[in-house]
Amino acid sequence: MILLIAWLTAVATVVLAYVIAGPIWVKRHSLRFRVGKTVRRTSGAYGEIAIVSFAAAMVWLIDSAGKDVSLASLIMDHPVPVGVAAVVVGLVVYIHGIRTAFAAEPDERWRLFFTYLVYGIYSLIVFAVGAVVVALLVMQAIADTQNLSSLADAAIAGLPAGPGVGNGDLIRSIEFSYLDMQSLLSVAEESMTPVFMFMAGIFAINLAIRLTPLRSLFINNAVLLTMISTLIGLMAVLAVGIWTYVGNYSAVITQYVDAMAALRPQAAKMHPDYVIRYSEIMVEMMDQKSLLSFVTRISSEWGGVAAALGLAQWVAQQFNRPEADESPGEIARAEGH
């Protein structure tokens, strides 16, 4: 409900801002597209609605994928930081908007002033959506670490020890603890799903900016924007991946292998078939600890979607036209000369 209200508010305010600005923003924020040899323009509000709608969809997906955190809990559990961030960003947005309005031509200043008063609400919501995505990813990663640590302790605690443990009980406990560990590692791998969704979303919006009239909304910065957003997405994947591997995946396996190694004197006295099974589990767990095994196992459906969209973006970059050909700002300056 919170996300729906924010999206409806953003759509309403951006439409109202374009209505107030009128022809002034046609020069600055219109969408350009070609019909035959003719260049047509339409309101940039359509593009901005598409952007905030896509961003809201990304928040919804990541919020749905997170098992321990949500948008509602984020706001309710941290009201003070959320409120302070909103005030600070709101001040920056409105100060920038007012300065931009009064730097315009004298006959446009007051119209732009009222435009930016309304448009500031849209800008604040767009920023909030981006901040929420990052916050959800970070909080989910922290929650995953705590959950996996508890699950690992429970799985290892199930391994028996002591001279009174029979061979049958020992191998049975080892098998069940191994099953628990495999389930636990699957949870660790699934913790990468939200960040892969984030990366796929970035690639998708970058493709839209590069290949559709959306790029004219950003005037001279469309290519730069896609490069920066791609870098942010890659850094997010690397950061969460390293956190998951070092703090969760590898650490949990190391803890389990050490606990299994402590059972070696008892395991050596078991039936030969049990010894073989014990050895297989040890070897398999040590193999799974490798970074290559981790990368292979986290390559889920969303990882494949992100990779495919990333490849499509790279192809689009190779065949894309120069920035000046698409930018109305560049064309306007060229015509002025």
Side-chain angles (χ1 to χ4, degrees):
M1 183 59 69
I2 296 175
L3 185 60
L4 178 60
I5 293 173
W7 176 76
L8 290 174
T9 303
V11 171
T13 52
V14 75
V15 170
L16 182 58
Y18 273 82
V19 170
I20 295 173
I24 298 175
W25 271 10
V26 172
K27 298 181 295 183
R28 307 183 184 189
H29 304 289
S30 59
L31 297 179
R32 297 173 58 253
F33 57 95
R34 295 181 181 275
V35 179
K37 295 183 179 181
T38 306
V39 177
R40 300 291 180 86
R41 292 178 183 270
T42 188
S43 174
Y46 297 114
E48 304 216 41
I49 291 173
I51 289 173
V52 75
S53 299
F54 188 88
M58 187 185 299
V59 171
W60 178 76
L61 282 173
I62 294 176
D63 188 31
S64 301
K67 299 178 180 178
D68 303 288
V69 297
S70 65
L71 175 59
S73 65
L74 174 65
I75 296 174
M76 294 177 63
D77 294 343
H78 307 280
V80 175
V82 170
V84 171
V87 170
V88 171
V89 174
L91 288 174
V92 173
V93 166
Y94 277 103
I95 290 173
H96 173 73
I98 293 171
R99 291 182 60 184
T100 302
F102 284 100
E105 298 296 330
D107 59 334
E108 298 179 350
R109 289 176 183 172
W110 284 106
R111 190 166 191 170
L112 284 177
F113 172 78
F114 290 111
T115 298
Y116 280 113
L117 286 182
V118 177
Y119 188 75
I121 300 174
Y122 168 83
S123 300
L124 182 58
I125 292 174
V126 171
F127 174 85
V129 167
V132 163
V133 169
V134 175
L136 287 175
L137 291 176
V138 172
M139 292 182 65
Q140 185 60 53
I142 295 173
D144 287 336
T145 299
Q146 296 172 344
N147 292 339
L148 289 171
S149 179
S150 300
L151 291 173
D153 291 340
I156 293 171
L159 291 173
V165 178
N167 291 345
D169 292 336
L170 181 59
I171 192 63
R172 188 179 298 108
S173 299
I174 290 174
E175 289 286 4
F176 279 114
S177 69
Y178 172 72
L179 178 61
D180 291 340
M181 285 300 298
Q182 293 305 310
S183 300
L184 186 154
L185 294 180
S186 296
V187 173
E189 294 153 16
E190 291 174 0
S191 67
M192 290 293 296
T193 297
V195 77
F196 280 135
M197 289 180 174
F198 176 59
M199 191 76 225
I202 287 179
F203 284 145
I205 192 64
N206 285 349
L207 280 171
I209 290 174
R210 283 181 172 272
L211 300 179
T212 71
L214 280 176
R215 68 181 294 148
S216 57
L217 279 177
F218 304 97
I219 304 188
N220 300 316
N221 298 318
V223 171
L224 178 61
L225 177 66
T226 58
M227 292 175 64
I228 292 175
S229 61
T230 299
L231 181 61
I232 291 173
L234 289 173
M235 290 177 63
V237 170
L238 287 175
V240 175
I242 292 172
W243 175 281
T244 302
Y245 176 72
V246 176
N248 297 337
Y249 191 90
S250 178
V252 164
I253 294 179
T254 298
Q255 188 179 0
Y256 180 76
V257 169
D258 290 344
M260 287 283 289
L263 297 176
R264 182 167 180 174
Q266 290 177 263
K269 302 175 183 178
M270 293 191 300
H271 187 277
D273 291 340
Y274 294 166
V275 174
I276 292 174
R277 181 55 184 157
Y278 169 84
S279 301
E280 289 175 346
I281 292 175
M282 284 288 287
V283 171
E284 184 173 348
M285 293 304 298
M286 287 187 288
D287 287 343
Q288 289 183 352
K289 184 182 175 182
S290 69
L291 180 60
L292 178 61
S293 175
F294 172 72
V295 172
T296 302
R297 292 188 63 162
I298 65 172
S299 300
S300 61
E301 292 84 357
W302 278 104
V305 171
L309 289 173
L311 178 61
Q313 178 182 316
W314 180 83
V315 172
Q317 290 173 356
Q318 309 311 308
F319 293 97
N320 215 219
R321 289 178 291 178
E323 180 81 8
D325 288 346
E326 293 296 314
S327 170
E330 292 288 346
I331 291 176
R333 280 197 290 269
E335 291 173 350
H337 291 297

Short mmCIF file of all heavy atoms in Angstrom, two decimals, residues 224-268:
data_model
loop_
_atom_site.label_atom_id
_atom_site.label_comp_id
_atom_site.label_asym_id
_atom_site.label_seq_id
_atom_site.Cartn_x
_atom_site.Cartn_y
_atom_site.Cartn_z
N LEU A 224 26.40 8.78 -19.98
CA LEU A 224 27.07 8.84 -18.67
C LEU A 224 26.20 8.21 -17.59
O LEU A 224 26.70 7.47 -16.73
CB LEU A 224 27.39 10.29 -18.32
CG LEU A 224 28.04 10.53 -16.95
CD1 LEU A 224 29.39 9.81 -16.88
CD2 LEU A 224 28.20 12.01 -16.68
N LEU A 225 24.90 8.47 -17.64
CA LEU A 225 23.99 7.91 -16.64
C LEU A 225 23.98 6.39 -16.69
O LEU A 225 24.03 5.73 -15.65
CB LEU A 225 22.58 8.46 -16.87
CG LEU A 225 21.49 7.91 -15.95
CD1 LEU A 225 21.73 8.36 -14.52
CD2 LEU A 225 20.11 8.36 -16.42
N THR A 226 23.93 5.83 -17.88
CA THR A 226 23.90 4.37 -17.98
C THR A 226 25.22 3.76 -17.51
O THR A 226 25.23 2.70 -16.89
CB THR A 226 23.62 3.93 -19.43
OG1 THR A 226 24.61 4.47 -20.30
CG2 THR A 226 22.24 4.40 -19.87
N MET A 227 26.32 4.44 -17.77
CA MET A 227 27.62 3.93 -17.33
C MET A 227 27.73 3.95 -15.81
O MET A 227 28.19 2.98 -15.18
CB MET A 227 28.75 4.75 -17.95
CG MET A 227 28.89 4.58 -19.45
SD MET A 227 30.15 5.67 -20.16
CE MET A 227 31.63 5.04 -19.38
N ILE A 228 27.29 5.05 -15.20
CA ILE A 228 27.35 5.16 -13.74
C ILE A 228 26.43 4.15 -13.08
O ILE A 228 26.81 3.47 -12.11
CB ILE A 228 26.98 6.59 -13.29
CG1 ILE A 228 28.07 7.57 -13.73
CG2 ILE A 228 26.81 6.65 -11.77
CD1 ILE A 228 27.75 9.02 -13.45
N SER A 229 25.21 4.01 -13.59
CA SER A 229 24.27 3.06 -12.99
C SER A 229 24.76 1.62 -13.15
O SER A 229 24.58 0.79 -12.25
CB SER A 229 22.88 3.22 -13.61
OG SER A 229 22.92 2.97 -15.00
N THR A 230 25.39 1.32 -14.29
CA THR A 230 25.96 -0.02 -14.47
C THR A 230 27.06 -0.28 -13.45
O THR A 230 27.15 -1.37 -12.86
CB THR A 230 26.53 -0.17 -15.90
OG1 THR A 230 25.47 -0.01 -16.84
CG2 THR A 230 27.16 -1.55 -16.08
N LEU A 231 27.90 0.72 -13.22
CA LEU A 231 28.97 0.58 -12.23
C LEU A 231 28.39 0.36 -10.84
O LEU A 231 28.89 -0.49 -10.08
CB LEU A 231 29.85 1.84 -12.26
CG LEU A 231 31.04 1.84 -11.28
CD1 LEU A 231 31.98 0.68 -11.59
CD2 LEU A 231 31.79 3.17 -11.35
N ILE A 232 27.34 1.09 -10.50
CA ILE A 232 26.70 0.92 -9.19
C ILE A 232 26.15 -0.49 -9.05
O ILE A 232 26.32 -1.14 -8.01
CB ILE A 232 25.57 1.96 -9.01
CG1 ILE A 232 26.16 3.37 -8.88
CG2 ILE A 232 24.72 1.62 -7.78
CD1 ILE A 232 25.11 4.46 -8.87
N GLY A 233 25.50 -0.99 -10.11
CA GLY A 233 24.96 -2.34 -10.06
C GLY A 233 26.04 -3.40 -9.90
O GLY A 233 25.89 -4.34 -9.11
N LEU A 234 27.12 -3.25 -10.64
CA LEU A 234 28.22 -4.21 -10.55
C LEU A 234 28.86 -4.19 -9.16
O LEU A 234 29.19 -5.24 -8.60
CB LEU A 234 29.28 -3.91 -11.61
CG LEU A 234 28.88 -4.21 -13.06
CD1 LEU A 234 29.95 -3.70 -14.02
CD2 LEU A 234 28.65 -5.70 -13.27
N MET A 235 29.01 -2.99 -8.61
CA MET A 235 29.59 -2.88 -7.26
C MET A 235 28.66 -3.53 -6.23
O MET A 235 29.13 -4.15 -5.28
CB MET A 235 29.83 -1.41 -6.92
CG MET A 235 30.97 -0.77 -7.71
SD MET A 235 31.17 0.98 -7.35
CE MET A 235 31.59 0.93 -5.59
N ALA A 236 27.34 -3.38 -6.44
CA ALA A 236 26.39 -4.00 -5.51
C ALA A 236 26.49 -5.52 -5.56
O ALA A 236 26.51 -6.19 -4.52
CB ALA A 236 24.97 -3.55 -5.85
N VAL A 237 26.59 -6.06 -6.78
CA VAL A 237 26.71 -7.52 -6.93
C VAL A 237 28.00 -8.02 -6.28
O VAL A 237 28.02 -9.02 -5.56
CB VAL A 237 26.66 -7.92 -8.42
CG1 VAL A 237 27.03 -9.38 -8.59
CG2 VAL A 237 25.27 -7.66 -8.99
N LEU A 238 29.10 -7.31 -6.53
CA LEU A 238 30.39 -7.71 -5.96
C LEU A 238 30.37 -7.62 -4.44
O LEU A 238 30.85 -8.52 -3.74
CB LEU A 238 31.51 -6.84 -6.53
CG LEU A 238 31.91 -7.11 -7.98
CD1 LEU A 238 32.93 -6.08 -8.45
CD2 LEU A 238 32.48 -8.52 -8.14
N ALA A 239 29.82 -6.52 -3.92
CA ALA A 239 29.80 -6.32 -2.47
C ALA A 239 28.98 -7.40 -1.77
O ALA A 239 29.43 -8.03 -0.81
CB ALA A 239 29.25 -4.93 -2.14
N VAL A 240 27.76 -7.64 -2.28
CA VAL A 240 26.90 -8.66 -1.65
C VAL A 240 27.49 -10.05 -1.89
O VAL A 240 27.42 -10.92 -1.01
CB VAL A 240 25.47 -8.57 -2.21
CG1 VAL A 240 24.59 -9.70 -1.66
CG2 VAL A 240 24.85 -7.22 -1.87
N GLY A 241 28.07 -10.28 -3.07
CA GLY A 241 28.68 -11.57 -3.36
C GLY A 241 29.84 -11.88 -2.42
O GLY A 241 29.95 -12.99 -1.88
N ILE A 242 30.71 -10.89 -2.20
CA ILE A 242 31.85 -11.08 -1.29
C ILE A 242 31.35 -11.29 0.13
O ILE A 242 31.83 -12.16 0.86
CB ILE A 242 32.80 -9.87 -1.37
CG1 ILE A 242 33.49 -9.85 -2.75
CG2 ILE A 242 33.85 -9.94 -0.26
CD1 ILE A 242 34.30 -8.59 -3.00
N TRP A 243 30.36 -10.47 0.53
CA TRP A 243 29.78 -10.61 1.87
C TRP A 243 29.19 -12.01 2.06
O TRP A 243 29.41 -12.67 3.08
CB TRP A 243 28.71 -9.54 2.07
CG TRP A 243 27.95 -9.65 3.36
CD1 TRP A 243 26.93 -10.51 3.65
CD2 TRP A 243 28.16 -8.89 4.55
NE1 TRP A 243 26.47 -10.31 4.93
CE2 TRP A 243 27.20 -9.32 5.50
CE3 TRP A 243 29.03 -7.85 4.89
CZ2 TRP A 243 27.12 -8.77 6.78
CZ3 TRP A 243 28.94 -7.30 6.16
CH2 TRP A 243 28.01 -7.76 7.08
N THR A 244 28.45 -12.48 1.06
CA THR A 244 27.81 -13.78 1.16
C THR A 244 28.83 -14.91 1.19
O THR A 244 28.72 -15.85 1.97
CB THR A 244 26.83 -13.99 -0.01
OG1 THR A 244 25.86 -12.95 -0.01
CG2 THR A 244 26.13 -15.33 0.08
N TYR A 245 29.85 -14.80 0.32
CA TYR A 245 30.85 -15.88 0.24
C TYR A 245 31.73 -15.93 1.49
O TYR A 245 31.88 -16.98 2.11
CB TYR A 245 31.72 -15.70 -0.99
CG TYR A 245 32.83 -16.73 -1.09
CD1 TYR A 245 32.54 -18.05 -1.41
CD2 TYR A 245 34.15 -16.39 -0.82
CE1 TYR A 245 33.54 -19.01 -1.48
CE2 TYR A 245 35.16 -17.33 -0.89
CZ TYR A 245 34.85 -18.64 -1.22
OH TYR A 245 35.84 -19.58 -1.27
N VAL A 246 32.28 -14.77 1.85
CA VAL A 246 33.22 -14.75 2.97
C VAL A 246 32.49 -14.90 4.30
O VAL A 246 32.90 -15.69 5.16
CB VAL A 246 34.06 -13.45 2.96
CG1 VAL A 246 34.96 -13.39 4.18
CG2 VAL A 246 34.88 -13.37 1.69
N GLY A 247 31.41 -14.12 4.48
CA GLY A 247 30.74 -14.11 5.77
C GLY A 247 29.78 -15.25 6.00
O GLY A 247 29.51 -15.60 7.15
N ASN A 248 29.23 -15.82 4.94
CA ASN A 248 28.21 -16.87 5.09
C ASN A 248 28.67 -18.21 4.54
O ASN A 248 28.89 -19.16 5.27
CB ASN A 248 26.91 -16.44 4.41
CG ASN A 248 26.31 -15.20 5.04
OD1 ASN A 248 26.59 -14.90 6.19
ND2 ASN A 248 25.50 -14.49 4.29
N TYR A 249 28.81 -18.25 3.23
CA TYR A 249 29.03 -19.52 2.53
C TYR A 249 30.32 -20.21 2.98
O TYR A 249 30.31 -21.31 3.51
CB TYR A 249 29.05 -19.24 1.03
CG TYR A 249 29.01 -20.45 0.14
CD1 TYR A 249 27.80 -20.99 -0.28
CD2 TYR A 249 30.18 -21.06 -0.29
CE1 TYR A 249 27.76 -22.10 -1.11
CE2 TYR A 249 30.16 -22.16 -1.11
CZ TYR A 249 28.95 -22.69 -1.52
OH TYR A 249 28.91 -23.78 -2.34
N SER A 250 31.45 -19.54 2.76
CA SER A 250 32.74 -20.15 3.08
C SER A 250 32.90 -20.38 4.58
O SER A 250 33.41 -21.42 5.02
CB SER A 250 33.87 -19.26 2.57
OG SER A 250 35.13 -19.79 2.91
N ALA A 251 32.46 -19.40 5.38
CA ALA A 251 32.62 -19.52 6.84
C ALA A 251 31.82 -20.69 7.39
O ALA A 251 32.29 -21.43 8.26
CB ALA A 251 32.19 -18.21 7.50
N VAL A 252 30.60 -20.86 6.88
CA VAL A 252 29.75 -21.95 7.36
C VAL A 252 30.34 -23.31 6.99
O VAL A 252 30.37 -24.24 7.81
CB VAL A 252 28.33 -21.79 6.77
CG1 VAL A 252 27.54 -23.08 6.92
CG2 VAL A 252 27.60 -20.64 7.45
N ILE A 253 30.83 -23.44 5.76
CA ILE A 253 31.43 -24.71 5.34
C ILE A 253 32.69 -25.01 6.16
O ILE A 253 32.92 -26.16 6.57
CB ILE A 253 31.75 -24.68 3.83
CG1 ILE A 253 30.45 -24.61 3.02
CG2 ILE A 253 32.55 -25.92 3.43
CD1 ILE A 253 30.66 -24.55 1.53
N THR A 254 33.50 -23.99 6.39
CA THR A 254 34.71 -24.19 7.20
C THR A 254 34.35 -24.68 8.59
O THR A 254 34.99 -25.60 9.14
CB THR A 254 35.50 -22.87 7.30
OG1 THR A 254 35.91 -22.47 5.99
CG2 THR A 254 36.74 -23.04 8.17
N GLN A 255 33.35 -24.08 9.18
CA GLN A 255 32.90 -24.47 10.51
C GLN A 255 32.41 -25.92 10.51
O GLN A 255 32.73 -26.70 11.43
CB GLN A 255 31.78 -23.53 10.97
CG GLN A 255 31.34 -23.71 12.41
CD GLN A 255 30.25 -22.72 12.79
OE1 GLN A 255 29.82 -21.90 11.98
NE2 GLN A 255 29.78 -22.82 14.03
N TYR A 256 31.70 -26.30 9.47
CA TYR A 256 31.17 -27.66 9.39
C TYR A 256 32.28 -28.68 9.16
O TYR A 256 32.31 -29.75 9.79
CB TYR A 256 30.14 -27.75 8.26
CG TYR A 256 29.52 -29.12 8.11
CD1 TYR A 256 28.56 -29.58 9.00
CD2 TYR A 256 29.91 -29.97 7.07
CE1 TYR A 256 28.00 -30.84 8.86
CE2 TYR A 256 29.35 -31.22 6.92
CZ TYR A 256 28.40 -31.65 7.82
OH TYR A 256 27.85 -32.90 7.68
N VAL A 257 33.20 -28.36 8.24
CA VAL A 257 34.32 -29.27 7.96
C VAL A 257 35.18 -29.48 9.20
O VAL A 257 35.63 -30.60 9.49
CB VAL A 257 35.17 -28.73 6.78
CG1 VAL A 257 36.48 -29.52 6.66
CG2 VAL A 257 34.38 -28.82 5.48
N ASP A 258 35.40 -28.43 9.97
CA ASP A 258 36.18 -28.56 11.21
C ASP A 258 35.46 -29.48 12.19
O ASP A 258 36.10 -30.31 12.87
CB ASP A 258 36.40 -27.19 11.85
CG ASP A 258 37.36 -26.32 11.04
OD1 ASP A 258 38.07 -26.87 10.19
OD2 ASP A 258 37.37 -25.09 11.26
N ALA A 259 34.14 -29.35 12.28
CA ALA A 259 33.38 -30.22 13.18
C ALA A 259 33.42 -31.67 12.71
O ALA A 259 33.53 -32.60 13.52
CB ALA A 259 31.94 -29.73 13.28
N MET A 260 33.35 -31.88 11.39
CA MET A 260 33.45 -33.24 10.84
C MET A 260 34.84 -33.83 11.06
O MET A 260 34.99 -35.03 11.35
CB MET A 260 33.11 -33.21 9.36
CG MET A 260 31.64 -33.00 9.04
SD MET A 260 30.68 -34.50 9.29
CE MET A 260 31.25 -35.48 7.89
N ALA A 261 35.86 -32.99 10.91
CA ALA A 261 37.23 -33.47 11.11
C ALA A 261 37.44 -33.94 12.55
O ALA A 261 38.22 -34.88 12.79
CB ALA A 261 38.22 -32.36 10.75
N ALA A 262 36.77 -33.31 13.49
CA ALA A 262 36.90 -33.72 14.88
C ALA A 262 36.33 -35.12 15.12
O ALA A 262 36.68 -35.78 16.12
CB ALA A 262 36.21 -32.71 15.79
N LEU A 263 35.47 -35.59 14.21
CA LEU A 263 34.87 -36.92 14.34
C LEU A 263 35.71 -38.01 13.67
O LEU A 263 35.32 -39.19 13.68
CB LEU A 263 33.47 -36.93 13.73
CG LEU A 263 32.42 -36.03 14.39
CD1 LEU A 263 31.11 -36.09 13.59
CD2 LEU A 263 32.18 -36.44 15.83
N ARG A 264 36.84 -37.63 13.08
CA ARG A 264 37.62 -38.61 12.31
C ARG A 264 38.08 -39.81 13.15
O ARG A 264 38.00 -40.95 12.67
CB ARG A 264 38.83 -37.92 11.69
CG ARG A 264 39.67 -38.85 10.83
CD ARG A 264 40.66 -38.11 9.99
NE ARG A 264 41.46 -39.01 9.18
CZ ARG A 264 42.33 -38.63 8.26
NH1 ARG A 264 42.51 -37.34 8.01
NH2 ARG A 264 43.01 -39.53 7.58
N PRO A 265 38.56 -39.63 14.38
CA PRO A 265 38.96 -40.82 15.16
C PRO A 265 37.81 -41.81 15.36
O PRO A 265 38.01 -43.03 15.29
CB PRO A 265 39.41 -40.21 16.50
CG PRO A 265 39.85 -38.83 16.15
CD PRO A 265 38.89 -38.38 15.09
N GLN A 266 36.60 -41.29 15.59
CA GLN A 266 35.45 -42.18 15.74
C GLN A 266 35.04 -42.79 14.40
O GLN A 266 34.68 -43.97 14.33
CB GLN A 266 34.26 -41.41 16.33
CG GLN A 266 34.43 -41.01 17.79
CD GLN A 266 33.25 -40.20 18.29
OE1 GLN A 266 33.30 -38.98 18.30
NE2 GLN A 266 32.19 -40.87 18.68
N ALA A 267 35.10 -41.96 13.33
CA ALA A 267 34.70 -42.45 12.01
C ALA A 267 35.61 -43.56 11.53
O ALA A 267 35.17 -44.47 10.79
CB ALA A 267 34.69 -41.29 11.01
N ALA A 268 36.89 -43.51 11.92
CA ALA A 268 37.85 -44.52 11.47
C ALA A 268 37.49 -45.91 12.00
O ALA A 268 37.93 -46.93 11.43
CB ALA A 268 39.26 -44.14 11.91
#
